[in-house]
Structure formats: structure tokens, C-alpha cells
Amino acid sequence: MTRVALSFDNGPDPDVTPAVLDVLRDRGVAAQFYVLGKWLADPRCRRLVERARDEGHTIGNHSFGHAVPLGEDPRPDAVAIEIAATEALLAPLWPGARRFRPFGGGGVIGRHLLSPGAVDYLVAHRYSCILWNSVPRDWIDPAGWPARALADCAAQDHTLVVLHDVPGACLPGLPGFIDAVRAAGFEFVCDVPAACAPIVDGRITGDLAALVGTPAIARLPTA
Ligand SMILES: [Zn+2]
């Protein structure tokens, strides 16, 4: 059976996440939410994490500021500022296994995603690192993304789709997409394709060479 897992990045958003959670609840789909630390100062956003957790979804860390990908971030304390600070905010809200989803470049997978320090941190703190294998670009095309996502699902045995619970992104197309996935005979699952998890509970299981940059060197002039 073709399997489809849904993930929602860059929230929680007080205006959008409640509606996304309503759609998932009404259709009986459990998903993954990769949240930003910068939103968790807002009690409305913390309550949305709690609601998602209580409704059976999985919560992960998607960095604090979502500004500079870790593999390009020259700050010596980037890992503390981006991963550890978000972990501290999530800890009271999410008792489950730790997940980190790196960000960068509109869903492009490459050496900008992680730094050596980030890998060390994720291993030491027993994180799973969760990537993706479908980025239908909902934030650019809120009406057209479902067709691309459905094509990705049809082309792979197990697809982990990245969507965004932020304004102007996946929400308008979400109910129809879920219905179309089921009409196609595909099954919604919570588990992650093995190829999308290069670190599992602190164990390196994938080839990190293609995912880890060296920020200091990347900053040297090239001309
Ligand atoms: Zn993101």
C-alpha cells in the first residue's frame, strides 16, 4: 500500500493552525508539526502545541528563528540559539521522542541544512533528524500544491510531504488533498520513510556528507 505522511512546518500560527487541526481531526489524520521556537513565547501558540499533542500529532523542533540554515550560520553559538533554545521551550509541552527538522532554501536538501556542531548536538541529545521527500510548494501556490503532492505520492512507496500551517499556504487545499489521497487508495501513516531520517534517536543512520556544511569555510571569499 502506498503510504503518505503529512508534516506541517513553521507554525504554530494562531489564525491557521486551529483550522489545520480541525481538518485533520474531522478526517482522522495524524500528522507531524515542526514548530519554531520564536512563536512559543506566545501562550496561544503554546496552547496550539498542546492541542496538537492531545489530538495525537507528533511535535518536533524546526529551529528558533528560521533565518539562516545551520550549515551556513557563522555564529559560534548557533546550535544553542536555534536548537537548544527551542528544545527548552518545547520540553514542557512535548514529552515524546525528540525530532529536529532542519530548514533552508525552499525545501532543497543539501549541505546548508546542518553543521558539524548541529550533528554533535542531535546525537548527544538523542534526536531524530527528519527530512522530507515531497515539497509541493504550498506557500507559493496555495491552490495548485495538491496536484503536485498527489503526483509525488503516486511516484513513491512512502512519501513525507512538507506543508506549512501559516497564512497563505496549504490550508485551502488541505481537505481536498486528504480526500484525493484516500480516493487514490493511498494510506495515511505517521512513520517516516527511512531515507528521510539520517539520524534516528541519536544514531547516525544515513549519509550525512551531503547534509553537513562547514559555516566558517563557507564564509570565505570565493573570488
Ligand atoms: Zn521551515
Side-chain angles (χ1 to χ4, degrees), residues 9-11 34 36 62-63 66 101-104 132 162-164:
D9 289 7
N10 297 13
Y34 295 95
L36 298 183
H62 189 40
S63 85
H66 203 272
R101 168 169 279 173
F103 76 97
W132 52 83
V162 176
L163 300 172
H164 297 82

Side-chain angles (χ1 to χ4, degrees), residues 167-192:
C170 75
L171 181 59
L174 187 60
F177 174 69
I178 291 172
D179 294 345
V181 165
R182 288 190 165 138
F186 306 157
E187 178 187 20
F188 283 107
V189 298
C190 300
D191 52 325
V192 171

Side-chain angles (χ1 to χ4, degrees), residues 45-60:
C45 293
R46 292 201 299 274
R47 282 196 293 273
L48 285 167
V49 171
E50 292 171 329
R51 179 183 162 189
R53 175 199 69 201
D54 293 346
E55 294 184 357
H57 305 295
T58 296
I59 311 297

